């Protein structure tokens, strides 16, 4: 079975041909840790997690590297404005290092709550300053850089195929746009910073010595340096959100290919944006966005959001709505109930995975078709419902599908909500029990049971369930 990926570079679906047979080296751009990641960012990570899991399902040995941007990402893509980390520090009255630590930890918590697999290498940019300086030196030696008053810049006119990822029209667009925003010292509007100097009047919290003077790396440098360090000068697949095509990934390619003369990444996978219906873009810099922790606050399992994302192919724009999340939450409850039923039916009978079965092949085909998770989920639903397939076989398949979908398929369905007045009766009864008022406690038990709520006292507190029928 050939695994196919839509490659932004060639604008078509291609058969994935890894550099080393049976292996896949993947680099995914990680978060800029000056604020919480929003659920739009999380759509990208969930999609990338889907790619890793789909490749593993097909037997590939995957090595995934993800960076943590903790320096150098400026407010404007034109290499001007404040460093987002220093901005975050000022906003919260903390140091840039504290901000980085706090938001990296917050990110990892959210990331794990969505059942995304930990990358094999997670690398903060500030740990790779030396590698970035070496890359800058290599570019300098080859004549790709020049110095202006605020830093060392990459001369994009020196690379004949500059902008190939976004297309020629894009590079022309930058030239046009130059009239609006232009650093007069730059040789070409698309040129970008390799190293920026600390401004003489400001005392930066994050700065390093370099052969060119004190300062900090240009934002794109970290991904080139770390991807090549951990995955080699040419890598298999590079991922990120669609916003990265035009500037960030275009410039990563320029720096890496300029320095090595080799193709940087053979495949480029980009996730379309999650957008907000009314306000359009979800913007991290404005501070007005939904985070993963908004989900439990609204009573949703974060995995309902994962399921919501998996239901739309990663190359389609996804318009966020709470109705959609609600529908996904119900759908996930249904799928979990189905999986549990299959497990119960299978009992203790031995279950082995039938890799020749049509449903298994259909599931694998969907994944190999540019990670078509919506189609794979449809196969999962159909198979679990199909009583003609022996329950033990369905169970084995569900277990294999769980490795890919990571929806906690066998988790007991979420406990139903109890109306507020009944919940209050339970609390009242717990208080009565604490006070050893057994009479009142029994009365309250009866009152609850009359209204269809059955109580069980356990060492961990009161459990309840609804009497059925
Ligand atoms: P950032 O922390 O802003 O550097 O972004 C982290 C990742 O999220 C990058 O891969 C972005 O391309 C991606 N991203 C940003 N906004 C969205 C969005 N609304 N939908 C999907 N992915 C996004
Ligand atoms: Zn990057």
């Amino acid at each position: 079975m050939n695994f196919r990926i839509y490659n932004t570079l060639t604008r078509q679906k291609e058969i994935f041909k890894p550099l080393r047979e049976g292996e896949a080296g993947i680099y995914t751009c990680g978060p800029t840790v000056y604020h919480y990641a929003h659920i739009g960012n999380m759509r990208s990570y969930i999609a990338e997690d889907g790619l890793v899991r789909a490749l593993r399902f097909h037997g590939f040995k995957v090595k995934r590297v993800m960076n943590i941007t903790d320096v150098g990402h400026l407010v404007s893509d034109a290499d001007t404005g404040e460093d987002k980390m220093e901005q975050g520090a000022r906003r919260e009255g903390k140091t840039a290092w504290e901000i980085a630590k706090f938001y990296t930890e917050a990110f990892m918590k959210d990331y794990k709550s969505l059942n995304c697999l930990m990358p094999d290498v997670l690398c903060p940019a500030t740990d790779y300053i030396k590698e970035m300086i070496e890359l800058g030196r290599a570019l300098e030696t080859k004549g790709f850089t020049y110095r202006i008053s605020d830093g060392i810049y990459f001369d994009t006119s020196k690379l004949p195929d500059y902008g190939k990822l976004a297309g020629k029209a894009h590079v022309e667009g930058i030239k046009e746009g130059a009239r609006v925003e232009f650093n007069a010292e730059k040789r070409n509007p698309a040129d970008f910073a390799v190293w920026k100097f600390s401004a003489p009047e400001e005392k930066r919290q994050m700065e390093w010595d370099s052969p060119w003077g004190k300062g900090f790396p240009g934002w794109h440098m970290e991904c080139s340096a770390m991807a090549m360090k951990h995955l080699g000068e040419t890598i298999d697949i590079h991922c990120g959100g669609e916003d990265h095509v035009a500037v960030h990934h275009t410039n990563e390619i320029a720096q890496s290919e300029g320095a090595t003369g080799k193709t940087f990444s053979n495949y480029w996978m980009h996730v379309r944006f999650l957008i907000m219906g009314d306000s359009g873009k979800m913007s991290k810099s404005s501070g007005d966005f939904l985070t993963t922790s908004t989900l439990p606050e609204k009573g949703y399992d974060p995995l309902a959001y994962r399921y919501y994302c998996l239901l739309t192919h990663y190359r389609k724009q996804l318009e966020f709505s709470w109705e959609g999340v609600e529908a996904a939450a119900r759908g996930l409850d249904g799928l979990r109930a189905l999986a549990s039923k299959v497990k119960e039916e299978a009992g203790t009978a031995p279950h082995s995975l039938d890799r020749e079965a049509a449903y298994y092949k259909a599931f694998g085909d969907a994944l190999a078709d540019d990670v078509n998770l919506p189609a794979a989920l449809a196969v999962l639903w159909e198979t679990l419902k199909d009583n003609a397939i022996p329950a033990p076989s369905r169970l084995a398949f569900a277990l294999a599908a769980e490795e890919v979908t990571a929806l906690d398929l066998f988790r007991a369905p979420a406990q139903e909500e109890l109306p507020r007045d009944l919940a209050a009766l339970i609390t009242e009864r717990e208080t009565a029990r604490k006070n050893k008022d057994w009479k009142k406690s029994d009365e309250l038990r009866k009152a609850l049971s009359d209204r269809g709520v059955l109580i069980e006292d356990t060492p961990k507190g009161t459990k309840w369930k609804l009497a059925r029928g």
Side-chain angles (χ1 to χ4, degrees):
M1 162 93 261
N2 285 324
F3 197 102
R4 292 181 310 147
I5 300 175
Y6 181 89
N7 189 352
T8 309
L9 196 58
T10 56
R11 291 159 188 80
Q12 59 187 359
K13 251 192 240 179
E14 289 179 4
I15 293 173
F16 173 55
K17 295 199 185 103
L19 292 160
R20 279 171 294 277
E21 187 66 28
E23 295 183 22
I26 304 181
Y27 186 88
T28 54
C29 288
T32 308
V33 286
Y34 71 109
H35 217 318
Y36 292 107
H38 57 58
I39 57 169
N41 300 131
M42 289 308 181
R43 181 190 193 199
S44 283
Y45 300 118
I46 291 169
E48 291 157 3
D49 186 66
L51 170 70
V52 170
R53 290 173 180 274
L55 283 166
R56 288 193 176 138
F57 180 90
H58 279 281
F60 286 92
K61 196 164 157 272
V62 178
K63 178 175 176 186
R64 177 181 177 196
V65 179
M66 180 159 87
N67 66 305
I68 299 281
T69 299
D70 56 358
V71 69
H73 192 170
L74 301 190
V75 172
S76 150
D77 268 351
D79 287 321
T80 55
E82 197 175 13
D83 187 322
K84 293 186 179 190
M85 297 306 300
E86 308 261 340
Q87 188 193 48
R90 203 162 31 76
R91 186 185 66 231
E92 299 188 17
K94 295 185 183 160
T95 68
W97 301 97
E98 283 166 346
I99 291 289
K101 183 168 183 293
F102 179 84
Y103 286 112
T104 300
E105 280 166 11
F107 171 74
M108 290 324 305
K109 189 167 154 271
D110 289 349
Y111 183 83
K112 284 182 196 157
S113 76
L114 293 163
N115 272 358
C116 292
L117 294 171
M118 277 301 283
D120 301 281
V121 180
L122 186 68
C123 38
T126 48
D127 283 354
Y128 292 79
I129 302 296
K130 184 170 112 324
E131 285 78 1
M132 288 188 247
I133 291 176
E134 279 165 13
L135 179 60
R137 287 289 255 186
L139 291 172
E140 189 176 37
T141 310
K142 292 198 170 184
F144 280 108
T145 59
Y146 62 94
R147 171 188 284 263
I148 58 177
S149 55
D150 72 348
I152 303 295
Y153 280 71
F154 186 100
D155 185 343
T156 52
S157 69
K158 294 257 165 80
L159 205 63
D161 60 359
Y162 178 78
K164 64 184 171 185
L165 187 66
K168 267 259 169 290
H170 162 66
V171 183
E172 295 304 320
I174 294 186
K175 284 182 189 154
E176 296 285 312
R179 273 178 243 126
V180 186
E181 181 177 16
F182 191 59
N183 173 344
E185 288 185 70
K186 284 205 297 193
R187 290 185 190 164
N188 312 285
D191 292 358
F192 56 90
V194 164
W195 186 263
K196 287 215 65 170
F197 304 135
S198 300
E201 70 280 3
E202 89 177 308
K203 175 72 191 118
R204 277 183 62 90
Q205 298 184 28
M206 292 175 153
E207 58 183 4
W208 294 265
D209 287 325
S210 82
W212 312 286
K214 203 179 266 285
F216 58 99
W219 170 40
H220 318 298
M221 289 294 275
E222 60 178 273
C223 292
S224 290
M226 297 191 284
M228 292 198 284
K229 165 126 184 170
H230 291 293
L231 297 167
E233 289 181 340
T234 300
I235 70 176
D236 286 310
I237 310 172
H238 196 311
C239 309
E242 61 174 326
D243 58 325
H244 284 344
V245 176
V247 179
H248 183 51
H249 289 167
T250 286
N251 294 344
E252 278 186 41
I253 292 176
Q255 296 163 157
S256 311
E257 300 193 352
T260 66
K262 296 177 188 162
T263 299
F264 176 42
S265 179
N266 284 332
Y267 300 85
W268 286 87
M269 169 178 154
H270 289 103
V271 183
R272 295 286 312 269
F273 263 22
L274 173 96
I275 56 158
M276 299 304 282
D278 39 1
S279 57
K281 211 182 150 209
M282 187 170 289
S283 155
K284 197 156 149 177
S285 51
S286 71
D288 174 24
F289 53 77
L290 298 172
T291 65
T292 309
S293 55
T294 321
L295 296 160
E297 278 160 29
K298 296 233 178 204
Y300 293 110
D301 173 356
L303 296 182
Y305 180 67
R306 181 180 175 96
Y307 186 58
Y308 175 68
C309 288
L310 297 187
L311 288 172
T312 301
H313 189 255
Y314 79 87
R315 262 190 319 114
K316 283 207 185 101
Q317 194 175 67
L318 178 56
E319 187 174 327
F320 180 82
S321 72
W322 283 111
E323 293 74 43
V325 175
E326 170 64 27
R330 278 170 209 249
L332 181 57
D333 277 347
L335 191 60
R336 284 175 175 163
L338 204 50
S340 298
K341 191 163 143 268
V342 168
K343 192 172 177 195
E344 216 175 286
E345 275 171 34
T348 52
H351 53 272
S352 63
L353 188 58
D354 180 1
R355 290 194 162 80
E356 293 308 314
Y359 55 82
Y360 183 84
K361 288 191 171 157
F363 186 78
D365 286 353
L367 297 176
D369 181 17
D370 196 23
V371 202
N372 193 340
L373 275 154
L377 283 168
V379 174
L380 177 61
W381 271 99
E382 287 309 310
T383 310
L384 293 187
K385 279 195 281 192
D386 189 348
N387 290 324
I389 305 167
S393 306
R394 280 183 284 155
L395 175 60
F397 175 59
L399 289 165
E402 170 65 8
E403 289 300 309
V404 179
T405 57
L407 291 166
D408 286 4
L409 288 177
F410 296 98
R411 191 200 285 174
Q415 197 167 47
E416 289 158 273
E417 280 282 320
L418 204 57
R420 212 180 284 274
D421 56 332
L422 292 179
L425 288 184
I426 291 181
T427 315
E428 208 181 315
R429 184 172 168 275
E430 279 174 337
T431 314
R433 280 171 57 79
K434 264 197 210 116
N435 298 335
K436 302 202 178 350
D437 186 348
W438 310 119
K439 186 164 167 281
K440 187 164 183 198
S441 143
D442 283 347
E443 280 167 18
L444 286 164
R445 175 195 287 272
K446 174 140 192 336
L448 282 158
S449 119
D450 287 348
R451 293 186 56 191
V453 182
L454 305 179
I455 294 293
E456 190 194 342
D457 295 311
T458 76
K460 284 188 181 154
T462 308
K463 276 191 175 170
W464 61 268
K465 65 178 181 191
L466 296 180
R468 302 276 173 198

